[in-house]
Each structure stands twice: as structure tokens, then as C-alpha cells.
């Protein structure tokens, strides 16, 4: 989770015999999360049902190795259900499951609370409740930071800054990026992958402030860090930022060039 290597873990668990996995509800729930992260939604749904079945029908056949993790299983499943609902555009389901997960979790379970809080924030953003979105995402990022998962804390920066820009709070959006860049600098290699995206986002704030020199410098720094320091789809976002900057500078032909370049990297 800390280094976003769900694909590697998924490869390991897929090599296990199905009969071993299905009687282990904790493993089934973890399997479901890895599948969700990889976009295998139908397979994730099946694993979630396995975990839910054991919660409702515990027996001697059920295998639980980590009792502490098992106690968190209802909240783990609720968080996964919230994620699943969000991927299907089910706003009410996302809100209900995410809130259920938070209600089940103790206040100091920071790494676990960060996920449902983030899902609440994204959902509130989608339905236009920007104040609630700001509050939930701030709580999510704080939870991840307190848990020591700086990469996940930084990942929420982009949505939170976008919300604050939409609200017209450019100064707050700028502070959001600068705080996350400070976290990245403090934790070095751990969050190197997210730093290029932070500079790309910072460029957009500077562009909206009409500080085009700073916006250009931000994109140069982002490019210098390169794709290895970027999250998935960094190149697409970087090209789009270039297109917006060129448009603001009145360089429309250059803007079109960057839009064409962005289209090459666009992923639905």
C-alpha cells in the first residue's frame, strides 16, 4: 500500500489455489482491494462476496490468521463497497458505504480512515458540495499523513486544490500544493513519484494567478523530474497544462500542438 505495488501483490495471490483463498475472509478482502486498484471490478465483486459470506456465516472452516485484521473486516469491506459504488457512478451507495466505514473505525485508525474520507470527498466534489468535499479530503490527507503514508496524502492534493480553485480560493490552492511539496521534500525517495504531478498542478494555480513566468518554471521542473517521478497519466496532465499555458499566452498554434500531444496519452 505504501509504495503502490498492488499489481505485484496481485500476481502473488493469483498464483494461490482458489480453495485456499476463499476460506480466508481477510485475504479475500485484500484480494478484492487489489483487484479494484487494477480495474478488475467483476473479479473484485466476487472476492468481496466471499468475505461478506464468512462475516455472516462464520464456521470452523473459516481461516483467520490475523485476528486484529479480522476485527477491521466490516470496515474494510464497507470501504471497498464505497469504492466499487463510486466506479459505477452510484453516488448514494458511495456516501452510505463510506460513512458506514468511518462509523465502524476508531478515530485513531488513520490509514484506514483515509480511504473512506477520500471517497466521501471525491463524491461530494462530483455532486457539487464543495465545502463538504474540502472538509472530507482535508481529513483524508491528514489521516494518511498521520499514518505515515505520505504518497497517499499527496495524491489527494490535486482534487483538493481543484476544489479550492473552483471556489476562487487561489491562495489556499497554492498553499495546498506548497505544503505537499514540503512533505515530498521531507520524505525523499518515498514520494518521488508524486512530485512531478505536484509541480504540474502548481503550474495551473500560477497560470490562474497570471504569474506565467512561475507557471512556466513549474512545468520545466515537472519535466525535469520526468515520468519516473510522476503518477499514472502524468504525461497527459503535463501536456494539458502546457496547452492551457500557451492559450493564456496567446500562442494558439502551440496550444493546439500540445492538445494533440495530450490526446496521445489520454486514457479513459
Amino acid at each position: 500500500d505504501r509504495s503502490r505495488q498492488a499489481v505485484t501483490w496481485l500476481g502473488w495471490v493469483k498464483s494461490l489455489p482458489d480453495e485456499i483463498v476463499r476460506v480466508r475472509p481477510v485475504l479475500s478482502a485484500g484480494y478484492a482491494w487489489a483487484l479494484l486498484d487494477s480495474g478488475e471490478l467483476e473479479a473484485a465483486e466476487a472476492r468481496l462476496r466471499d468475505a461478506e459470506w464468512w462475516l455472516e456465516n462464520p464456521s470452523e472452516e473459516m481461516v483467520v490468521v490475523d485476528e486484529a485484521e479480522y476485527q477491521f473486516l466490516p470496515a474494510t469491506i464497507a470501504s471497498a463497497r464505497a469504492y466499487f459504488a463510486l466506479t459505477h457512478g452510484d453516488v448514494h451507495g458511495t456516501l452510505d458505504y463510506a460513512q458506514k466505514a468511518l462509523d465502524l473505525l476508531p478515530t485513531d485508525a488513520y490509514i484506514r480512515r483515509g480511504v473512506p474520507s477520500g471517497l466521501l470527498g471525491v463524491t461530494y466534489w462530483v455532486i457539487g458540495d464543495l465545502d463538504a468535499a474540502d472538509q472530507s479530503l482535508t481529513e483524508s490527507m491528514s489521516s494518511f499523513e498521520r499514518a505515515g503514508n505520505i504518497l497517499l496524502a499527496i495524491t489527494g492534493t490535486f482534487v483538493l486544490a481543484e476544489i479550492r480553485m473552483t471556489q476562487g480560493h487561489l491562495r489556499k490552492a497554492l498553499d495546498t500544493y506548497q505544503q505537499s511539496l514540503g512533505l515530498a521534500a521531507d520524505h525523499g525517495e518515498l514520494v518521488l513519484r508524486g512530485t512531478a504531478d505536484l509541480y504540474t498542478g502548481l503550474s495551473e494555480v500560477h497560470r490562474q494567478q497570471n504569474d506565467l513566468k512561475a507557471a512556466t518554471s513549474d512545468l520545466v521542473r515537472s519535466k525535469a523530474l520526468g515520468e519516473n517521478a510522476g503518477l499514472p497519466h502524468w504525461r497527459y496532465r503535463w501536456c494539458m497544462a502546457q496547452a492551457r499555458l500557451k492559450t493564456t499566452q496567446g500562442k494558439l498554434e502551440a496550444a493546439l500542438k500540445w492538445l494533440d500531444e495530450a490526446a496521445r496519452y489520454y486514457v479513459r
Side-chain angles (χ1 to χ4, degrees):
D1 287 341
R2 291 179 182 273
S3 56
R4 290 198 160 189
Q5 297 192 43
V7 174
T8 300
W9 186 87
L10 190 57
W12 295 341
V13 75
K14 280 184 175 180
S15 70
L16 296 174
D18 190 61
E19 60 268 21
I20 288 179
V21 178
R22 294 190 67 182
V23 296
R24 290 167 165 78
V26 172
L27 182 57
S28 293
Y31 196 171
W33 262 114
L35 290 165
L36 286 171
D37 285 342
S38 300
E40 300 180 48
L41 302 183
E42 291 185 10
E45 167 76 2
R47 296 301 173 180
L48 279 178
R49 286 198 300 267
D50 288 341
E52 289 166 335
W53 191 90
W54 286 114
L55 276 181
E56 296 169 3
N57 305 278
S59 73
E60 292 183 357
E61 296 178 25
M62 181 177 72
V63 178
V64 175
V65 177
D66 188 336
E67 184 63 35
E69 191 68 28
Y70 180 70
Q71 297 303 314
F72 283 115
L73 190 58
T76 300
I77 292 173
S79 291
R81 282 292 180 191
Y83 187 101
F84 190 81
L86 183 61
T87 63
H88 284 79
D90 181 359
V91 169
H92 294 297
T94 306
L95 295 176
D96 289 346
Y97 279 118
Q99 189 58 57
K100 178 181 178 180
L102 289 172
D103 292 342
L104 289 167
L105 289 166
T107 56
D108 61 351
Y110 300 121
I111 189 65
R112 300 174 190 275
R113 293 183 67 86
V115 173
S117 294
L119 292 172
L120 279 179
V122 171
T123 306
Y124 283 132
W125 179 42
V126 169
I127 64 177
D129 191 341
L130 300 185
D131 289 337
D134 189 312
Q135 179 179 342
S136 294
L137 282 167
T138 299
E139 291 175 359
S140 175
M141 293 170 64
S142 175
S143 293
F144 285 133
E145 183 181 349
R146 294 180 74 173
N149 196 320
I150 306 303
L151 181 57
L152 283 179
I154 284 176
T155 301
T157 303
F158 316 106
V159 177
L160 184 57
E162 180 67 27
I163 289 167
R164 291 174 173 177
M165 284 190 286
T166 302
Q167 292 175 311
H169 300 156
L170 295 183
R171 182 68 242 181
K172 289 180 70 176
L174 187 67
D175 289 344
T176 302
Y177 277 115
Q178 290 176 337
Q179 288 167 9
S180 290
L181 282 166
L183 281 175
D186 290 343
H187 291 81
E189 293 296 321
L190 177 64
V191 290
L192 182 62
R193 283 189 58 211
T195 310
D197 296 82
L198 293 176
Y199 279 111
T200 300
L202 185 62
S203 172
E204 176 61 15
V205 180
H206 280 138
R207 185 189 69 84
Q208 291 199 26
Q209 291 179 323
N210 204 35
D211 189 346
L212 303 188
K213 182 178 179 180
T216 300
S217 177
D218 295 332
L219 289 178
V220 169
R221 296 187 72 175
S222 178
K223 183 67 177 294
L225 287 166
E227 198 158 4
N228 288 335
L231 296 171
H233 316 310
W234 161 77
R235 189 173 293 276
Y236 167 75
R237 288 190 290 266
W238 190 87
C239 292
M240 288 298 298
Q242 282 282 15
R244 286 189 289 267
L245 178 59
K246 296 305 180 186
T247 299
T248 302
Q249 293 172 327
K251 301 175 181 179
L252 300 186
E253 288 188 9
L256 287 172
K257 170 195 165 187
W258 283 114
L259 285 174
D260 288 341
E261 186 72 9
R264 295 176 51 200
Y265 301 105
Y266 178 72
V267 178
R268 289 185 181 275

